[in-house]
Amino acid sequence: MALLPEDIIDRLIQMERRIQALSTAVNTRPPINEIRPLPPSSGRPVLRVFDGYNHEIFADDIATGGLARPWLQLMPPVDHLKEAKWPSTTSTAFTPIAQSFNPVWQPKMRLAMYTKASSGATGQVKVMVDGQQFGPTVAAGQTFDHTGLLPVDLATKFGKVMTVEIHAVVTSASGTVYAQPVSMYGTQT
């Protein structure tokens, strides 16, 4: 028997079935909550994430597990109870009293530190990042606790080392100004 031409209703019913089948297939896909290697014989999966500038911003450690990049710097323990051991100055001009070198991974940084002046003295403390001030200048005796954008171009400085310095000055006739960092880390915008 010869095939008869289908009418428009039959064609619409077929298209509706196909669309429903496609919709079901898309919505029943398993969730992507684990990463597996494409060739089964390749061993452990490797996870690498890059930003828009092709910087590797995240990577896992396939040898032992955990995080490979970015590696996160940790603050060394300090004696925050004995100011005599803190970085200090007796200078009446802003002077660097502490310095560290840190890679730039995030666009912002949080830095918290205790400051103090010797008995009868007054002074100020500020933070410089690559020669530019980061956060406010505080009076000695106040806690410096600032979170803000780094004064560097993240696109060109990413993964490279920035210099963080603590500067202090004695504003009275004499005395000593102290500063002790207690927390410092990068953060997102």
Side-chain angles (χ1 to χ4, degrees):
M1 175 183 263
L3 293 173
L4 298 173
E6 298 177 348
D7 65 2
I8 192 73
I9 304 243
D10 291 336
R11 295 182 104 188
L12 286 173
I13 290 171
Q14 283 181 345
M15 285 182 10
E16 187 177 339
R17 285 183 189 144
R18 287 180 185 163
I19 290 171
Q20 187 168 355
L22 284 171
S23 178
T24 302
V26 167
N27 291 325
T28 58
R29 191 174 93 174
I32 301 174
N33 60 3
E34 70 179 81
I35 297 170
R36 297 177 182 243
L38 294 176
S41 62
S42 71
R44 294 186 176 123
V46 177
L47 175 61
R48 301 285 185 260
V49 177
F50 297 86
D51 69 5
Y53 295 92
N54 206 32
H55 297 129
E56 185 179 74
I57 58 172
F58 183 86
D60 64 335
D61 186 336
I62 62 170
T64 60
L67 186 62
R69 185 178 307 249
W71 57 270
L72 304 175
Q73 186 161 330
L74 305 173
M75 293 282 293
V78 295
D79 188 350
H80 71 277
L81 300 175
K82 296 180 183 152
E83 293 87 9
K85 294 183 177 183
W86 294 4
S88 63
T89 187
T90 58
S91 175
T92 56
F94 269 109
T95 305
I97 58 172
Q99 183 181 59
S100 67
F101 303 98
N102 303 278
V104 175
W105 293 116
Q106 288 94 1
K108 291 175 90 173
M109 178 175 74
R110 176 175 184 232
L111 175 60
M113 73 176 140
Y114 298 135
T115 68
K116 188 167 180 148
S118 60
S119 180
T122 59
Q124 296 179 323
V125 178
K126 65 181 178 180
V127 176
M128 304 297 282
V129 174
D130 282 354
Q132 298 181 58
Q133 187 162 346
F134 173 78
T137 300
V138 297
Q142 293 180 334
T143 299
F144 178 98
D145 192 349
H146 180 71
T147 303
L149 288 171
L150 290 170
V152 300
D153 179 27
L154 186 65
T156 58
K157 194 73 173 183
F158 183 84
K160 296 179 181 155
V161 174
M162 68 176 165
T163 303
V164 178
E165 293 180 329
I166 299 171
H167 289 224
V169 62
V170 175
T171 55
S172 55
S174 64
T176 305
V177 173
Y178 305 91
Q180 180 62 62
V182 292
S183 180
M184 185 167 105
Y185 55 86
T187 186
Q188 66 189 37
T189 53

